[in-house]
């Protein structure tokens, strides 16, 4: 028998979900957990270099007492040129070495491809901004291309369904390590149908998706329509598209330069036209591009800074301003 109290509780639960989980203000009221940090700066040696697919190599890194890690973790790698880049760990957490895999795209990846066995590197981490939830009733893993790197150890750690997308089998690394995966190359299966793929998630499933923005951007909306009880966890391997941005002006105090940041570009990109700024993830979780704010109101969009840090600092890769901004650069 349904009592008045039960009806009131149900109504309250529905109202909570509409506001905090599904409403337009949900991203503001339920911000993501800050990135988990472990480890420290480490010296490692390249123990093995292996060609995994067209333009993809894996590096096995060895060192003394390497910190433990969990699926979803990444390393910050300091390259010989001084560049810093973040790469997902894609080996076995039980092993005493680290493994990363890198597709040749930009300057940083070309340096990785030039490394040889015996070369030494400095790395930082591991850190995890893509943590694996271990208590979901079921799992759906979706990886596109090099997005398999964080997904691979996840699919090994927990039972679930893995859909692996790519241009062709020749471009898709680690195929030999994916027993039971649904491999769907574009040249065999056609362009991926994200709605059909997400429909494979069971009620209450945890869906882990890693791929380019055209795949990840509409995923939350589609999954909410198809399966509102499921949860979506995503990681990109390219910068997010700027949403709701407005133009603003940045004054670089020490260099004496002024740059205009367009509505659809990041402050990092705009500043990069006149000044070199260190960066790595370009997604607001590693902190490499953190700069001191001398004046102005920041629109913080990162996943790293604490409330106290946000008073006088920002990550220029994702955060913006509501007007004129003065930075210590």
């Amino acid at each position: 028998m349904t009592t008045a109290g039960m009806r009131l509780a149900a109504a309250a639960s529905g109202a909570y979900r509409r506001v905090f989980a599904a409403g337009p203000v949900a991203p503001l009221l339920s911000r993501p957990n800050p990135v988990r940090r472990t480890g420290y700066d480490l010296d490692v040696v390249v123990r093995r270099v292996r060609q995994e697919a067209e333009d993809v190599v894996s590096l096995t890194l060895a060192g003394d007492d390497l910190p433990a890690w969990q699926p979803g973790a990444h390393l910050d790698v300091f390259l010989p040129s001084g560049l810093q880049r973040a790469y997902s760990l894609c080996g076995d957490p039980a092993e005493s070495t680290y493994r990363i895999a890198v597709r040749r795209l930009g300057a940083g990846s070309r340096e990785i491809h030039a490394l040889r066995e015996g070369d030494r590197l400095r790395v930082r981490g591991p850190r995890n901004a893509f943590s694996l939830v271990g208590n979901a009733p079921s799992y759906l893993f979706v990886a596109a291309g090099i997005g398999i790197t964080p997904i691979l150890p996840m699919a090994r750690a927990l039972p679930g369904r893995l859909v692996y997308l790519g241009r062709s089998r020749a471009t898709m690394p680690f195929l030999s390590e994916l027993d039971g995966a649904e491999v769907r190359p574009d040249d065999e299966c056609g362009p991926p149908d994200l709605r059909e793929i997400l429909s494979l998630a069971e009620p209450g499933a945890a869906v882990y998706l890693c791929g380019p923005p055209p795949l990840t951007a509409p995923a939350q909306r589609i999954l909410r329509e198809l399966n509102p009880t499921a949860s979506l966890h995503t990681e990109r391997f390219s910068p997010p598209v700027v949403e709701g941005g407005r133009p603003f002006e940045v004054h670089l105090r020490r260099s004496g330069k002024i740059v205009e940041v367009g509505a659809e570009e990041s402050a990092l990109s705009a500043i990069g036209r006149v000044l070199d700024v260190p960066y790595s993830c370009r997604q607001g979780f590693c902190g490499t591009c953190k700069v001191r704010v001398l004046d102005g109101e920041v629109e913080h969009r990162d996943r790293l800074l604490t409330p106290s840090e946000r008073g006088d600092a920002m990550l220029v890769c994702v955060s913006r301003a509501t007007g004129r901004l003065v930075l210590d650069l």
Side-chain angles (χ1 to χ4, degrees):
M1 179 177 179
T2 303
T3 65
M6 294 172 63
R7 288 193 296 271
L8 180 61
S13 176
Y16 177 92
R17 184 181 178 281
R18 286 192 297 273
V19 174
F20 288 90
V25 297
L28 299 176
L29 298 176
S30 302
R31 294 192 180 278
N33 291 329
V35 62
R36 297 179 182 177
R37 301 182 192 174
T38 61
Y40 39 82
D41 284 9
L42 305 162
D43 292 314
V44 297
V45 61
V46 179
R47 175 175 290 181
R48 183 182 184 187
V49 179
R50 178 174 174 175
Q51 191 76 33
E52 301 290 353
E54 288 182 5
D55 291 329
V56 177
V57 298
S58 68
L59 302 183
T60 299
L61 308 175
D64 296 331
D65 299 322
L66 297 181
W69 60 280
Q70 295 180 342
H74 70 274
L75 283 181
D76 294 318
V77 179
F78 298 90
L79 299 170
S81 67
L83 293 176
Q84 180 181 341
R85 295 291 184 266
Y87 298 113
S88 297
L89 288 165
C90 59
D92 184 346
E95 294 181 350
S96 59
T97 56
Y98 291 157
R99 183 176 71 169
I100 60 174
V102 181
R103 187 180 299 281
R104 181 172 16 221
L105 293 172
S109 62
R110 288 194 294 270
E111 283 192 67
I112 290 288
H113 278 244
L115 293 172
R116 296 294 178 261
E117 294 179 6
D119 286 346
R120 295 187 174 276
L121 290 170
R122 172 64 62 91
V123 300
R124 177 177 296 159
R127 297 190 288 181
N128 203 327
F130 194 33
S131 299
L132 181 59
V133 177
N135 58 357
S138 63
Y139 294 86
L140 173 64
F141 302 105
V142 184
I146 201 64
I148 191 62
T149 50
I151 296 294
L152 180 56
M154 291 182 177
R156 286 174 172 162
L158 292 171
R161 190 167 186 170
L162 171 59
V163 179
Y164 186 17
L165 312 171
R167 298 193 308 275
S168 66
R169 291 179 184 268
T171 66
M172 300 167 71
F174 305 123
L175 287 175
S176 63
E177 301 182 24
L178 296 171
D179 293 338
E182 298 179 29
V183 180
R184 302 186 183 186
D186 293 352
D187 60 352
E188 297 177 21
C189 306
D193 182 343
L194 185 58
R195 180 171 288 273
E196 181 273 329
I197 294 171
L198 293 180
S199 71
L200 301 175
E202 298 176 1
V207 180
Y208 281 82
L209 170 63
C210 185
L215 189 72
T216 59
Q220 185 68 64
R221 173 184 56 80
I222 294 173
L223 187 63
R224 188 180 295 125
E225 295 171 358
L226 293 174
N227 189 348
T229 64
S231 61
L232 179 68
H233 312 264
T234 64
E235 184 173 64
R236 304 177 180 92
F237 45 79
S238 59
V241 175
V242 177
E243 296 183 355
R246 292 179 294 175
F248 62 98
E249 186 177 82
V250 176
H251 290 232
L252 309 178
R253 174 67 59 82
R254 283 187 283 124
S255 60
K257 299 180 183 296
I258 299 175
V259 296
E260 299 290 335
V261 182
E264 298 182 352
E265 69 174 338
S266 68
L268 176 64
S269 297
I271 297 170
R273 292 195 292 267
V274 299
L275 192 70
D276 289 333
V277 179
Y279 69 89
S280 181
C281 73
R282 295 182 293 171
Q283 298 176 42
F285 64 75
C286 77
T288 305
C289 67
K290 177 181 175 181
V291 300
R292 185 181 174 206
V293 178
L294 302 177
D295 191 30
E297 185 175 348
V298 179
E299 181 185 316
H300 293 284
R301 298 188 178 191
D302 66 275
R303 293 183 282 165
L304 178 72
L305 299 182
T306 64
S308 60
E309 290 176 315
R310 291 185 174 190
D312 60 359
M314 70 179 291
L315 302 190
V316 293
C317 66
V318 292
S319 295
R320 306 183 65 78
T322 55
R324 177 179 176 271
L325 200 62
V326 182
L327 302 180
D328 186 22
L329 289 172

